[in-house]
Amino acid sequence: MALASKLNHEGIRVYCICGDGELQEGQIWEAAMTSSHYKLDNLCLIVDNNNLQIDGKVDEVMSIYPIDEKFRSFGFEVINIDGHDMNQIINALNKAKTVKGKPTAIIAKTIKGKGVSFMENVADWHGKAPKDEEYKLAMEELN
Amino acid sequence: MNLEITKATRQSYGEKLAELGEKNKDIVVLDADLSGATKTSIFAKKFPERFFDMGISEQDMMSTAAGLATFEKIPFASSFAMFACGRTYDQIRNSIAYPNLNVKICASHAGVTVGEDGATHQMIEDLGIMRGMPNMVVMCTSDDLQTKWAVEEISKIKEPVYLRLCRYATPLIYDETQKFEFGKGIQIGEGTDATIFATGVTVSEAIKAKEELEKKGINIRVIDIHTIKPIDEELIIKCAKETKKLISIEDHNIIGGLRNCYF
Ligand SMILES: [Mg+2]
């Protein structure tokens, strides 16, 4: 999409959000290579780095660290932020717009299930929906 | 039939693609480090700004082609059949076939006729894989004129297409008087002793067999199936009624191949 937008001179920016566990997929790095080779400065990747995947902690299942150095060496501008700090998020997105000649990767350090006491940092919540009672409790905590 | 003059369908593909690129500026071409062999290099030379070498990353090539299609481009993605659909099943299924995106996967070097490249490159499961993909049109062409017709035809269809091409040079079967119709097989001969269904490189071999058998008083017909999906059901049923035997000759595993379309 970012490549097509460049071809069309449309000035469209493409934002791509990916998890940290999925950085283990080979295709992510094929795409990373392509993005910097074709100088896709209209592409902004946001990595949700909560260090959890279905089987457990990312660094225990199959470490993908250091994420920032990997993307830097693949030709990205890299910005590390606290993914729960709105000011940092906005500043990073604004900075990404000014980067020329290469794509940007924002590595957002996050806590899975943040704000809900029984969900925080629990890998089990990766792929299941809360029951009615759990949903009520979670919403109360968030409000 | 004079089957002396030969040309590889990948060559015909490359020539026609470069010609179409002139008329249709939406056509973009992707290759995975095999443009010299798949013949997309002819397009690349003429239109470097619309040609993307993706390196040896077929998975990303398919996903990038899908992305380009969402922006109304007409991407033609080429590699050897083994890599174009062997390495990329997931990307084609989820990013091209299910969302019904207008991507043309044109794969050369299909079948055992790749020869000395060996078993790792001899793709004989591709038709089975691609026929099973939802929305995917599947074609396999037998000669120069038919391939050029097919390349133009698929550039007009707004659906994902898999076009199977061959490495080695095969005879020119058809002349300018031949009409090709999407989804319609071509009947060669009226024999009723048997029907040979063939596709791609096996069509000229089937015609040779037909001529040999005629000398022995056995009269068969050959059906050239260039459109494998959707298959020409009408013609298959007609041949089943009119001839005593149905035979398929394929450069492919019998499972998932041409015979599986009717039996
Ligand atoms: Mg995660």
Side-chain angles (χ1 to χ4, degrees), chain B:
Chain B
M1 204 174 270
N2 174 14
L3 299 174
E4 300 291 306
I5 310 161
T6 62
K7 186 171 180 175
T9 51
R10 61 180 165 129
Q11 181 67 34
S12 314
Y13 162 65
E15 290 171 8
K16 188 67 187 185
L17 194 57
E19 182 195 315
L20 286 178
E22 201 91 57
K23 293 185 253 176
N24 193 337
K25 304 292 177 206
D26 287 333
I27 291 177
V28 294
V29 177
L30 302 94
D31 207 299
D33 195 40
L34 288 168
S35 62
T38 63
K39 301 300 172 192
T40 58
S41 54
I42 307 170
F43 183 98
K45 244 185 220 124
K46 267 176 94 175
F47 308 106
E49 71 290 352
R50 280 190 276 144
F51 174 80
F52 302 99
D53 203 319
M54 304 303 290
I56 310 171
S57 359
E58 295 80 9
Q59 300 175 0
D60 188 46
M61 173 168 78
M62 292 307 170
S63 299
T64 303
L68 286 160
T70 62
F71 274 60
E72 302 299 320
K73 299 290 172 201
I74 307 172
F76 280 72
S78 283
S79 180
F80 291 180
M82 174 52 220
F83 313 121
C85 53
R87 277 196 84 81
T88 56
Y89 173 80
D90 177 341
Q91 287 74 18
I92 294 175
R93 179 190 183 274
N94 286 340
S95 304
I96 295 173
Y98 269 77
N100 200 12
L101 288 177
N102 193 21
V103 174
K104 316 303 170 189
I105 301 160
C106 299
S108 71
H109 294 61
V112 294
T113 46
V114 164
E116 65 269 27
D117 281 357
T120 55
H121 288 51
Q122 293 168 347
M123 183 47 144
I124 53 167
E125 298 91 16
D126 54 329
L127 293 178
I129 294 170
M130 301 311 280
R131 281 175 58 217
M133 297 274 188
N135 300 314
M136 187 69 68
V137 166
V138 180
M139 297 185 82
C140 177
T141 50
S142 61
D143 90 332
D144 178 55
L145 278 181
Q146 192 184 84
T147 304
K148 286 177 173 163
W149 161 78
V151 174
E152 178 146 22
E153 194 72 11
I154 64 176
S155 73
K156 295 180 201 156
I157 309 171
K158 247 193 140 182
E159 277 178 328
V161 176
Y162 178 69
L163 173 61
R164 185 183 216 243
L165 302 161
C166 186
R167 174 194 193 176
Y168 87 112
T170 48
L172 306 188
I173 300 168
Y174 302 107
D175 62 30
E176 302 288 347
T177 62
Q178 180 67 46
K179 292 256 175 298
F180 301 110
E181 202 183 328
F182 179 78
K184 295 285 172 206
I186 299 166
Q187 183 170 337
I188 301 161
E190 298 290 331
T192 56
D193 290 328
T195 301
I196 295 183
F197 292 105
T199 185
V201 291
T202 62
V203 175
S204 58
E205 295 302 318
I207 293 169
K208 284 179 205 162
K210 173 179 168 292
E211 288 169 1
E212 281 300 307
L213 289 168
E214 257 158 37
K215 290 177 201 157
K216 295 178 181 169
I218 301 166
N219 293 305
I220 65 157
R221 64 182 66 173
V222 172
I223 305 293
D224 177 355
I225 300 282
H226 49 69
T227 313
I228 291 171
K229 186 184 162 200
I231 192 78
D232 189 350
E233 278 180 35
E234 211 178 311
L235 184 59
I236 291 171
I237 291 167
K238 176 176 168 283
C239 292
K241 284 180 177 163
E242 291 176 357
T243 66
K244 296 185 195 112
K245 289 184 172 66
L246 302 182
I247 300 160
S248 75
I249 308 182
E250 357 198 349
D251 188 10
H252 191 278
N253 194 323
I254 210 94
I255 299 167
L258 189 55
R259 191 182 77 153
N260 258 192
C261 297
Y262 64 86
F263 184 71

Side-chain angles (χ1 to χ4, degrees), chain A residues 107-134:
Chain A
I107 319 294
K109 193 94 199 85
T110 60
I111 295 163
K112 188 194 274 296
K114 186 169 168 69
V116 180
S117 57
F118 60 93
M119 286 183 173
E120 271 191 19
N121 260 327
V122 182
D124 195 39
W125 286 102
H126 185 96
K128 75 170 187 187
K131 297 197 178 70
D132 287 349
E133 196 52 33
E134 291 165 333

